[in-house]
Amino acid sequence: MESNKNKNLWRQTAWIYDIEHEKNQPLPDIPFYIEYAKQQCGEGGKILELGCGTGRVALSLAKEGFNIIGLDLSQDMLGIFREKLAKEVAKHPELTNRVKIIHDNMADFSLGQKFVLITAPFRAFQAVTAQDDIENTLNCAREHLTDDGIFILNVFNPYKNPLDESWCEFKLYSKLMEV
């Protein structure tokens, strides 16, 4: 299978991500990540989020006092994250020092630091589809974990094989844009 190391297969989904999930905000996974962050990191701990997207989980953790490095390949998703962060910083200036956003590939990154908690929420790991990239992602996560660190990744059993972009076709969301 060809490597997708520098190819972002989901680059056109940024605009629908928050539309799709805003009616369910916060999603039930947020308390799960907050609880694990409290257990694993203690107060003000440092967390790496792979596939941070628009910042849905990262911002929730930052508001709870954790320091977050969010890493994502999608410039579009990170652009939305930056916009959301700017709005939140206007209300909560302390977030400025708690959130760092990095444009990089989760299958090939080196941050020069270790974390007691690394997450890949909401199926971000499943965006990595080539076997080499899957192995590289897991190796990168391992390289960035402390000896007592944990890596939490969310996965699901896709209804299509192989996973493709058909779930995000424009026609599925055209009604939302007309409202």
Side-chain angles (χ1 to χ4, degrees), residues 76-139:
D76 294 334
M77 290 279 212
L78 294 177
I80 293 169
F81 187 172
R82 287 182 182 97
E83 290 173 13
K84 289 166 61 174
L85 178 60
K87 289 177 186 174
E88 290 298 325
V89 165
K91 296 183 271 187
H92 309 283
E94 68 278 5
L95 293 179
T96 300
N97 298 321
R98 286 193 198 145
V99 180
K100 181 177 181 182
I101 298 172
I102 297 176
H103 174 246
D104 211 339
N105 186 337
M106 72 172 85
D108 184 24
F109 68 94
S110 179
L111 302 178
Q113 56 186 307
K114 296 201 179 256
F115 301 84
V116 294
L117 178 60
I118 298 176
T119 65
F122 212 67
R123 302 179 282 246
F125 181 69
Q126 288 181 271
V128 182
T129 56
Q131 186 63 39
D132 286 350
D133 292 342
I134 291 167
E135 291 172 15
N136 290 339
T137 299
L138 295 172
N139 285 330

Side-chain angles (χ1 to χ4, degrees), residues 32-42 47 61 66 117:
F32 169 83
Y33 289 110
I34 290 171
E35 182 61 32
Y36 263 90
K38 287 177 180 176
Q39 289 175 21
Q40 191 66 17
C41 302
I47 301 166
L61 289 167
F66 298 100
L117 178 60

Side-chain angles (χ1 to χ4, degrees), residues 24-33 56 122:
N24 297 320
Q25 287 291 341
L27 289 174
D29 62 342
I30 298 294
F32 169 83
Y33 289 110
R56 183 182 66 82
F122 212 67

